[in-house]
Amino acid sequence: GRYVQFLTTVQNVIWTDAEQKFTVTSHNTLTGQTATQKYDKCIWAAGDQGLPYMPQALLQKLDGFNGKIIHSTDTANFGDDVRGKRILIVGGSYSAEDLALVACKVGVEKAYIVTRCDDSAVTWTKQWPGDKVELLLKQTPMAVESGSTILMQKLKWVIDSQYENEEGAEPGRLENIDTIVLCTGYRRQFDMLAPELTEWKKGQHTNTFPVPEDWTMAENSLTPLLGDVPPPKEARYFGTFVAWSDLYRGVLIDNPNMMFLRTDHDDYPILVIDSNAWLLMQIVTGGRPLPSAEGMKKENIDQALFEMKHYPQARYFMDQGYCEKYTALQPESDPTWKLYEEAEAKSNRYDFQVLARTMQEGKHPANIGTYEALNEQGETLHDYGYLSYYHRCHTTTNTTFRDVKDASKFKSRFTGTESVPLKELWMDLDENTDKNLV
């Protein structure tokens, strides 16, 4: 067609200052022809989960393993890979949870899930089918012995390097492992973009901004525990919704003609992508004017300061001193993480306020409120997120989060259409013979 080209691979995207144009080289996979065209604007929309991520450092540690290593995307023969076997799943998010449940369903002997943190999605499930799943929290594979024994290194989280080895900790041992499943996520496919268009992504964990001398934190659920922690001179963007200091609403500040369609809200990725697409459309067509480069940078800093002021969860990642103080006091003073979870709940509401701002600025047809406050639709959408967590916390040895007796609460927040519960327990369903699953 005139505006959409299918069966086409974008090979190179280069910006030329002299022309103020993008030169895009593409390859038609059907005809084999290569074309070069000029464009005024470029929106990268290749997906935050464009390519499977296989950490090379981890693969090096697993060198010598004589079993099978697969990525979570490589499940065509998953039944054969896990049935009657002892498996290790690396990663703690939804794909790890889902594949652990599938492994139980097809007859795994034992499934170990190893994750570097202790609060990921797999920890929400309180019981697993047949008690066949064991969680190994705050650990990572460190080496292989005798071909099938995996040595596990215990970890602690550090703000600068993220994770480091726990000194003096004895390594764990997992023996007779047959299959390793890497639920290690994905990486963005930036290969087609010139390097200068992707420099921004290198600073996510390191870029900082100055904190004013008169900055103070608002009182919150952690204030009685931590008191007044002196602010740093420089705070990190990591932990805020700004995240990447060189982007503003997905726009590259140094070259606003380059934009990135990203997912920055884990709970509702499709709605977020759609909302960000509407916003970029408004920016491209002039419906949402952009500030100057300095104005965009200032708004990013102001938002980061606001989040650090009001949300302890954000400051925990942004400020080394704050993180260290809470980490030191937490085991005795907040052993069940009650105070932290209260702060997190307030932060979760703010997540939706940021989404509401994106929808408002993009003139999205749905309306969940404003940056300052959610409306009734926004409150309902916010509360809906807890249903997923709640059902994972109330599983048994033969039920999963998919087994819901009353599905009336699970309904579209926009159309009101209710979900339909399964007719049988998910573990008992056979997709090959059960034609009527619901």
Side-chain angles (χ1 to χ4, degrees), residues 109-165:
E109 178 185 326
K110 184 73 175 182
Y112 298 95
I113 301 178
V114 58
T115 174
R116 294 178 298 177
C117 59
D118 57 1
D119 60 352
S120 54
V122 294
T123 65
W124 302 346
T125 298
K126 300 310 176 187
Q127 284 189 287
W128 297 83
D131 289 327
K132 289 185 175 183
V133 179
E134 181 177 337
L135 303 186
L136 305 173
L137 306 179
K138 301 173 74 172
Q139 298 183 51
T140 188
M142 62 179 290
V144 177
E145 277 187 1
S146 306
S148 63
T149 297
I150 313 298
L151 301 183
M152 309 300 297
Q153 172 68 55
K154 294 184 179 179
L155 301 172
K156 63 178 181 179
W157 188 80
V158 180
I159 192 169
D160 288 329
S161 58
Q162 292 191 293
Y163 296 94
E164 66 180 28
N165 296 341

Side-chain angles (χ1 to χ4, degrees), residues 234-278:
E234 296 277 332
R236 300 198 312 164
Y237 284 98
F238 184 62
T240 72
F241 268 90
V242 176
W244 293 279
S245 59
D246 296 324
L247 295 183
Y248 172 85
R249 308 289 205 273
V251 175
L252 185 62
I253 294 177
D254 289 341
N255 182 357
N257 298 296
M258 183 73 214
M259 287 155 271
F260 296 85
L261 181 59
R262 302 172 299 114
T263 306
D264 46 17
H265 191 297
D266 292 337
D267 290 333
Y268 299 98
I270 296 176
L271 179 59
V272 170
I273 291 172
D274 188 49
S275 301
N276 283 335
W278 278 79

Side-chain angles (χ1 to χ4, degrees), residues 26-54:
S26 61
H27 175 77
N28 187 302
T29 58
L30 186 64
T31 65
Q33 293 181 331
T34 298
T36 300
Q37 295 171 298
K38 305 281 186 178
Y39 295 94
D40 299 309
K41 308 284 185 182
C42 179
I43 300 177
W44 175 89
D48 279 356
Q49 299 181 347
L51 296 171
Y53 176 54
M54 305 275 282

Side-chain angles (χ1 to χ4, degrees), residues 164-180:
E164 66 180 28
N165 296 341
E166 187 178 312
E167 295 181 9
E170 286 291 323
R173 297 174 63 87
L174 298 178
E175 298 181 345
N176 301 316
I177 298 299
D178 302 294
T179 302
I180 297 176

